Amino acid sequence: MAMKSYPLEKAFTFIEPGPVVLVTTYNNDNYNIMTLTWHMVLDFTPRIALATGPWNYSFDALLKNKECVLAIPTVELAEKTVCIGDCSGKNIDKFQKFGLTALPAKATKAPLIAECLACIECKVTDYLEAQNFFVLQGIHAWYDDEHKEQRRFHANGDGTFVTDGQTLDLRQFMEDKLPFGCK
């Protein structure tokens, strides 16, 4: 089989499949939730970058308060997660509209989402305006070990999604490179 040219404007769909996340923020006594697929892990501490801009209602809260929570939904929340990203928190309370539970976080005013598998409280450490990148530092992580569904879902960038499948455990080949706590 030979490689064939592929439209450059679609090339990002090969890289995109990180898990879809829900970003919670707090601003002016209101919570908000934003769906996000444009993010990447920068290191093991964890430092995470996300891309968003002034077109999103959560943008001002991220700039002003310099904090958020990254909540990781699983496949049973896929439709809600997509619908959350299709409306603005400027006009509605997304927690109420989508029947989600805001839980208090340990170190941020932005809430955790009880229905998610995991949540990472983050502080904004940098904003790269030209790229619309926020650099986040995780400061506290939460995990629901009783959450029955574990499969996350990933955006392909074209309105379709894939879900996690079988996990391959290949740690034996990279044990010397795994961060402390992952061995």
Side-chain angles (χ1 to χ4, degrees), residues 60-122:
D60 287 337
L62 284 167
L63 278 179
K64 176 182 168 188
N65 298 323
K66 298 191 180 326
E67 66 178 32
C68 66
V69 169
L70 302 180
I72 293 80
T74 52
V75 295
E76 83 275 5
L77 289 178
E79 283 187 29
K80 280 186 184 185
T81 298
V82 171
C83 291
I84 286 167
D86 197 39
C87 60
S88 175
K90 183 177 184 178
N91 306 317
I92 59 169
D93 177 339
K94 292 186 186 184
F95 279 93
Q96 181 179 0
K97 179 172 176 78
F98 296 103
L100 297 174
T101 309
L103 296 176
K106 181 178 180 180
T108 66
K109 288 185 180 179
L112 311 177
I113 299 177
E115 292 77 10
C116 286
L117 175 64
C119 293
I120 305 168
E121 295 180 58
C122 299

Side-chain angles (χ1 to χ4, degrees), residues 123-128 133-136:
K123 293 289 185 184
V124 174
T125 60
D126 202 0
Y127 174 60
L128 307 170
F133 278 179
F134 284 89
V135 178
L136 310 175

Side-chain angles (χ1 to χ4, degrees), residues 156-177:
N156 289 320
D158 62 358
T160 64
F161 297 80
V162 295
T163 60
D164 288 343
Q166 180 182 2
T167 300
L168 301 175
D169 185 348
L170 303 175
R171 289 180 275 196
Q172 65 189 19
F173 301 112
M174 52 188 294
E175 285 185 27
D176 62 328
K177 293 174 182 62

Side-chain angles (χ1 to χ4, degrees), residues 18-78:
V20 175
V21 298
L22 294 169
V23 180
T24 68
T25 55
Y26 173 85
N27 201 16
N28 301 326
D29 296 326
N30 295 312
Y31 293 147
N32 191 43
I33 312 170
M34 170 178 68
T35 301
L36 189 76
T37 62
W38 294 344
H39 55 79
M40 65 182 167
V41 174
L42 299 175
D43 65 23
F44 296 124
T45 64
R47 274 187 327 138
I48 300 160
L50 64 83
T52 190
W55 55 87
N56 281 323
Y57 181 65
S58 295
F59 178 80
D60 287 337
L62 284 167
L63 278 179
K64 176 182 168 188
N65 298 323
K66 298 191 180 326
E67 66 178 32
C68 66
V69 169
L70 302 180
I72 293 80
T74 52
V75 295
E76 83 275 5
L77 289 178

Side-chain angles (χ1 to χ4, degrees), residues 144-158:
D144 181 356
D145 63 356
E146 295 179 8
H147 200 92
K148 288 181 176 37
E149 180 61 71
Q150 298 285 310
R151 293 174 300 147
R152 285 149 283 213
F153 59 102
H154 312 266
N156 289 320
D158 62 358

